[in-house]
Amino acid sequence: MSESKPRDNPYLAHLPPSQRGVGTGSKEITKDPLFGFLPRKVKGDQVRKAMDGDVNPFTKQPHSGQYKKILETRKKLPVFAQMDEFLKIFSENQIIVMVGETGSGKTTQIPQFVAYSDLPHTKGKMVACTQPRRVAAMSVAKRVADEMDVQLGRHVGYSIRFEDMTEAGTTFLKYMTDGMLLREAMNDPSLERYSTIILDEAHERTLATDILMGLLKGIAKKRKDLKIIIMSATLDALKFQKYFSLRSDATAPLFKVPGRTHPVEVFYTQEPEPDYVEAAIRTVLMIHRAEDPGDILLFLTGEEEIEDACRKIKLEADDLLNQDPSSVGPLSCIPLYSSLPPQQQQRIFDAAPPPITKDGPPGRKVVVSTNIAETSLTIDGIVYVVDPGFSKQKVYNPRIRVESLLVSPISKASAQQRAGRAGRTRPGKCFRLYTEKDFMKELEEQTHPEILRSNLSNTVLELMKLGIKDLVSFDYVDAPAPETLMRALELLNYLAALDDDGNITPLGGIMAEFPLDPQLAKLLIVSPEFKCSNELLTITAMMSVPNVWLRPNNQRREADAAKAALTVPDGDHLTLLNVYNQYVLNKHDKNWCWTNYLSQRALQQADNVRAQLQRTMERFDIDLISLSDEKKLFVNIRQALVCGFFMQVAHKEGEKGNYLTVKDNQASQPSLISVVALHPSCGLDTQPEWVIFNEFVLTTRPYIRTVSEVKAEWLIEFAANYFDLSTFPDGETKRALQRAWNKRAGRGDKKSSKGSRQDGSDERLAKKRRTDGRD
């Protein structure tokens, strides 16, 4: 008899047994862990009972052996003790502002509490939790999947740019980067797929988080069923409570979670350190030699610096161990930065190495990380923090229209966060590699919101696609500078993504669908006109991943020779194409990458990005074509690059190898011209008169990087509006352009401009898309 009874469906647990199609016997009812749960009226006792049960409430399978161990750890988190209070405030309010110190458990636990209260799977909806960084989205999703005893990518998943680890119809808890949720909003302006949206790490004030706050505030007024939680470690809570008040007389409620921090002793240097990386390595080794057991967290600014420091620390520590194994234990050094693959990111949670002999000194773990370990990830066992006081920050110069990652001093708020990492498990120490005077007088109170120092062209295009045309009166938390907005509108207008009235064009609509900068999106869309769309797809993918070249300190000559063998003298873009093609010809061979000093990880990533972009191109019927004549193909590629990057052009001045960047130089503002040089890594074998560039790098002097040779005729053929001579001050650049215009006028109008054909193709593509939409 029992075999013929239908099984309980956990997804219908909130319904009475008669509607679930199961028997009403008491035995049947008690089997279902979610029986009696009413969405958004759930009490803490019910959740704890379901968690303590033997059956997983979401999969209906028995719990694994690991589940109970992890649950015991979770119960020790400060936020777990406040479950009842949270569920009450969640039931009663549409928007909550939540402040919890790093390590309180908010990022992993609150979304789970919401899943129990909201029961999104019963409504075919999801709970979204946004993170500013890819690493955090991936590693937190993996941790939560383990805590909920489900498979990552099924009930709990993550979505980051170029990688979607979710399953349609099954995933109900989704961690994602804030940029991905913003992209989803373009095609679903009300975000109907979500019942609750959690914006985590709001204090980081990333560009996407700021725009999302404005959008969600608007959506909340229309969708009363959507609940929103703003979570942060340190936050000007009152500012956010006021911002999210949907009525003028009330502020959004504040929910506070205490952290579990022990006292942290802070040390400063007597004098400023001339080389913070050397000082950091010295301090780590000093701690290893002289301080009690406990792991070390060192903050550095980027991948190259981190890998270099890890190598040096490991060498020095091994020397120490060989010299005196009785007084120092073994040391493991683990890097952490965003482009690391997920498996390697998980190494930061490994235990410290065991002592070499039974009674020998214990081992120690050193994690060398970017500011991702400041708030996004919590690593247990850290007792010592080394803080050089720097991080890489995005800085946008609207004058030369180029965004750079510059090493900049951190804010006081960041310094406090870093110090707090040392007091998680027991009293700790923080070694600041700067003076107390500098801390007090030189550091800003808070990090500037990214919206105030970013290129907004992508954001403006996304907002336009969302139907928000009045960018000035959009409800920003902090409004961006008018000049930055104007530059973004101007760029999009030159790229034909916006018309002269500021409305999005059909071409702009397609550009917005690509998860790329508008210039790169435009390149891909026009590439069939130049019969090189396969090649530009590859180049775009290679420009969307970290640097593919490896240049170890002790093998620089060999690395440079290997690079020279793969270099195409006409330009770095063609070199990137050649590297990828050789990688594919060599069947993605790891040893080939190693021999040629190439990062296999970056090339694998480029392969993945290329496949995803290809799917987007196929969706919009953008043909994938190539030319068999290599010489003509290479010229066409460089011409197509002009269609996207005509605003990032430099002209050679004089014989010293100096270049002037060319922009819409109003005669009234000749100071808008910048003198730059080609970066030493540039592969051009000559110094051509005209180049386009992708990056502006400021080291010992201003450099341009990822450079290709172009011709003046191409500039005026494919970007005639931009290279209008009346907008240029007198000088070498204007005279060179004048010669090109004269040459073109001399040729007459025998040949129709390829630029006009290109515009026609933009329209044809967009028209085709609209027709497909009607079908």
Side-chain angles (χ1 to χ4, degrees):
M1 178 69 186
S2 61
E3 285 176 16
S4 63
K5 281 185 183 176
R7 292 181 63 191
D8 272 5
N9 183 343
Y11 292 15
L12 305 177
H14 64 295
L15 299 174
S18 58
Q19 289 178 34
R20 281 185 277 145
V22 297
T24 52
S26 59
K27 270 190 174 177
E28 291 291 336
I29 292 171
T30 52
K31 276 184 184 174
D32 196 323
L34 295 179
F35 175 73
F37 278 52
L38 287 172
R40 297 182 172 177
K41 291 195 168 60
V42 175
K43 301 277 192 294
D45 291 340
Q46 291 173 286
V47 176
R48 282 188 287 272
K49 188 178 173 187
M51 284 180 175
D52 287 333
D54 295 324
V55 176
N56 188 318
F58 301 105
T59 63
K60 207 65 199 289
Q61 300 298 316
H63 280 306
S64 66
Q66 192 64 22
Y67 172 78
K68 292 281 174 168
K69 280 186 201 164
I70 297 177
L71 183 59
E72 289 313 307
T73 313
R74 288 171 64 194
K75 286 178 177 176
K76 294 172 187 161
L77 292 168
V79 73
F80 208 89
Q82 290 181 279
M83 187 197 293
D84 299 79
E85 195 185 329
F86 170 77
L87 291 170
K88 183 172 186 293
I89 199 169
F90 178 73
S91 299
E92 292 168 0
N93 297 281
Q94 188 183 2
I95 301 179
I96 307 167
V97 175
M98 180 174 165
V99 180
E101 283 182 29
T102 311
S104 58
K106 61 185 185 309
T107 304
T108 53
Q109 304 310 305
I110 293 295
Q112 293 184 63
F113 296 168
V114 169
Y116 275 100
S117 176
D118 216 11
L119 303 173
H121 52 288
T122 61
K123 301 176 264 190
K125 301 218 176 210
M126 288 189 281
V127 172
C129 180
T130 70
Q131 297 292 323
R133 295 190 176 83
R134 307 157 53 96
V135 180
M138 290 189 284
S139 81
V140 172
K142 183 180 184 315
R143 172 68 192 178
V144 171
D146 290 346
E147 289 187 1
M148 294 183 80
D149 211 13
V150 296
Q151 189 185 330
L152 178 64
R154 296 208 64 223
H155 300 82
V156 176
Y158 66 80
S159 173
I160 60 177
R161 191 166 81 133
F162 301 127
E163 191 178 346
D164 187 359
M165 251 312 239
T166 60
E167 189 178 297
T170 307
T171 303
F172 61 81
L173 176 49
K174 179 164 149 187
Y175 284 87
M176 62 210 301
T177 50
D178 41 16
M180 287 308 292
L181 187 60
L182 195 52
R183 294 201 70 76
E184 282 190 23
M186 286 195 315
N187 296 312
D188 177 13
S190 299
L191 295 168
E192 293 288 349
R193 301 166 65 189
Y194 300 100
S195 55
T196 300
I197 293 173
I198 303 165
L199 293 188
D200 196 6
E201 308 292 353
H203 63 277
E204 296 219 1
R205 300 295 304 279
T206 62
L207 178 56
T209 294
D210 266 26
I211 298 293
L212 276 173
M213 287 200 250
L215 287 177
L216 289 176
K217 185 176 175 183
I219 295 171
K221 291 172 183 171
K222 295 180 211 153
R223 272 190 64 194
K224 296 295 178 195
D225 62 315
L226 176 70
K227 288 193 182 266
I228 298 165
I229 302 172
I230 310 298
M231 295 203 299
S232 153
T234 54
L235 186 68
D236 181 359
L238 191 59
K239 179 176 186 172
F240 281 76
Q241 285 177 272
K242 282 180 180 166
Y243 178 76
F244 278 105
S245 59
L246 298 182
R247 300 197 318 273
S248 57
D249 60 331
T251 57
L254 179 67
F255 179 68
K256 273 189 169 175
V257 182
R260 48 175 196 194
T261 50
H262 296 272
V264 175
E265 204 176 344
V266 178
F267 300 91
Y268 295 92
T269 58
Q270 294 298 311
E271 298 292 327
E273 289 289 351
D275 182 340
Y276 67 85
V277 180
E278 280 302 319
I281 294 168
R282 208 171 55 236
T283 308
V284 166
L285 293 163
M286 179 271 294
I287 294 169
H288 185 48
R289 274 199 308 266
E291 296 286 348
D292 293 338
D295 297 338
I296 305 169
L297 173 59
L298 162 60
F299 287 99
L300 289 176
T301 65
E303 176 178 349
E304 215 171 294
E305 220 172 62
I306 287 170
E307 290 291 3
D308 196 35
C310 277
R311 201 180 61 254
K312 287 179 178 168
I313 290 169
K314 196 83 193 80
L315 281 170
E316 296 270 354
D318 288 348
D319 278 354
L320 281 175
L321 192 62
N322 293 334
Q323 287 167 18
D324 193 0
S326 60
S327 64
V328 292
L331 182 133
S332 67
C333 201
I334 303 167
L336 178 63
Y337 45 85
S338 63
S339 56
L340 267 181
Q343 310 85 312
Q344 281 179 259
Q345 289 167 15
Q346 292 302 313
R347 286 182 55 216
I348 60 169
F349 301 114
D350 293 350
I356 287 181
T357 56
K358 194 180 174 189
D359 300 320
R364 199 189 294 269
K365 174 174 75 178
V366 180
V367 176
V368 188
S369 171
T370 58
N371 54 354
I372 191 162
E374 211 171 274
T375 56
S376 301
L377 293 176
T378 297
I379 308 160
D380 281 324
I382 299 293
V383 180
Y384 305 100
V385 166
V386 180
D387 171 21
F390 291 99
S391 70
K392 267 192 185 160
Q393 289 184 17
K394 200 185 281 182
V395 180
Y396 177 59
N397 183 341
R399 274 186 9 195
I400 50 176
R401 304 175 184 281
V402 178
E403 229 170 24
S404 313
L405 276 173
L406 296 183
V407 175
S408 320
I410 58 173
S411 64
K412 281 184 187 156
S414 286
Q416 303 290 23
Q417 281 296 334
R418 291 180 175 192
R421 313 284 71 221
R424 281 292 318 283
T425 37
R426 62 166 206 250
K429 293 180 180 180
C430 173
F431 297 86
R432 289 182 175 156
L433 306 182
Y434 41 93
T435 64
E436 190 167 9
K437 182 181 165 202
D438 283 347
F439 173 76
M440 300 306 290
K441 295 194 173 169
E442 300 296 327
L443 300 192
E444 301 270 353
E445 286 295 330
Q446 295 283 346
T447 309
H448 278 296
E450 204 174 67
I451 197 166
L452 304 181
R453 48 187 171 86
S454 289
N455 175 1
L456 298 181
S457 54
N458 217 340
T459 309
V460 168
L461 191 56
E462 285 174 342
L463 288 172
M464 289 284 185
K465 186 86 197 286
L466 278 159
I468 296 161
K469 290 180 184 172
D470 187 354
L471 298 170
V472 176
S473 57
F474 178 74
D475 196 354
Y476 302 99
V477 184
D478 286 293
E483 187 193 0
T484 316
L485 272 177
M486 286 308 298
R487 286 282 179 186
L489 289 166
E490 196 177 40
L491 169 69
L492 294 169
N493 179 239
Y494 278 127
L495 289 170
L498 300 180
D499 61 23
D500 290 346
D501 297 326
N503 299 313
I504 194 165
T505 61
L507 168 68
I510 302 176
M511 283 165 65
E513 293 291 331
F514 283 88
L516 296 167
D517 282 340
Q519 291 107 310
L520 287 170
K522 170 85 182 257
L523 270 189
L524 290 184
I525 295 166
V526 304
S527 58
E529 286 292 305
F530 295 87
K531 297 188 170 48
C532 59
S533 44
N534 269 312
E535 288 71 23
L536 276 171
L537 174 58
T538 298
I539 290 168
T540 302
M542 290 287 279
M543 282 164 35
S544 303
V545 299
N547 187 9
V548 294
W549 305 103
L550 300 175
R551 199 167 179 256
N553 270 352
N554 52 348
Q555 297 171 358
R556 287 192 167 167
R557 190 175 297 166
E558 296 92 325
D560 291 345
K563 183 176 180 182
L566 289 164
T567 296
V568 177
D570 291 344
D572 297 338
H573 299 87
L574 294 172
T575 300
L576 289 174
L577 171 67
N578 186 39
V579 167
Y580 179 82
N581 288 344
Q582 293 299 323
Y583 173 64
V584 174
L585 280 173
N586 284 280
K587 299 185 170 54
H588 305 76
D589 181 28
K590 197 174 181 177
N591 291 331
W592 178 83
C593 294
W594 184 250
T595 313
N596 287 282
Y597 293 87
L598 291 165
S599 161
Q600 196 209 7
R601 190 169 67 232
L603 285 164
Q604 273 177 334
Q605 219 176 323
D607 212 27
N608 177 21
V609 170
R610 191 184 190 282
Q612 297 224 26
L613 291 174
Q614 184 174 333
R615 287 199 286 275
T616 310
M617 287 174 81
E618 286 163 353
R619 202 168 89 221
F620 292 108
D621 294 325
I622 300 168
D623 299 326
L624 288 162
I625 46 181
S626 294
L627 279 173
S628 53
D629 178 349
E630 190 181 80
K631 193 174 177 188
K632 180 129 181 39
L633 175 70
F634 281 6
V635 169
N636 284 14
I637 289 170
R638 282 156 48 215
Q639 287 181 342
L641 286 167
V642 170
C643 292
F645 291 100
F646 54 83
M647 287 180 146
Q648 284 164 222
V649 170
H651 180 247
K652 189 181 175 195
E653 303 278 324
E655 295 306 311
K656 290 185 178 173
N658 284 340
Y659 281 79
L660 295 186
T661 54
V662 177
K663 299 155 306 283
D664 49 343
N665 298 308
Q666 289 86 16
S668 60
Q669 286 178 282
S671 62
L672 282 182
I673 304 173
S674 297
V675 180
V676 295
L678 300 180
H679 194 268
S681 66
C682 166
L684 293 173
D685 60 354
T686 59
Q687 290 185 336
E689 184 183 6
W690 295 92
V691 293
I692 53 167
F693 61 94
N694 273 95
E695 290 177 86
F696 178 83
V697 186
L698 195 62
T699 51
T700 48
R701 61 170 295 184
Y703 287 110
I704 49 177
R705 191 160 61 187
T706 317
V707 173
S708 282
E709 179 183 359
V710 294
K711 294 194 165 27
E713 305 86 90
W714 304 347
L715 300 176
I716 58 176
E717 189 173 347
F718 306 128
N721 287 351
Y722 188 72
F723 290 95
D724 177 357
L725 290 178
S726 64
T727 62
F728 279 79
D730 286 332
E732 197 61 41
T733 304
K734 184 171 184 173
R735 286 192 287 277
L737 283 170
Q738 184 69 64
R739 288 193 293 274
W741 277 107
N742 293 346
K743 192 174 168 187
R744 186 181 182 193
R747 268 194 325 210
D749 290 324
K750 293 174 196 167
K751 193 174 102 180
S752 69
S753 146
K754 203 172 200 173
S756 61
R757 287 216 319 273
Q758 172 199 320
D759 289 344
S761 79
D762 295 346
E763 288 307 314
R764 282 203 303 280
L765 274 167
K767 198 169 181 182
K768 194 168 186 182
R769 174 174 172 254
R770 289 199 299 273
T771 316
D772 292 348
R774 282 201 297 274
D775 295 346

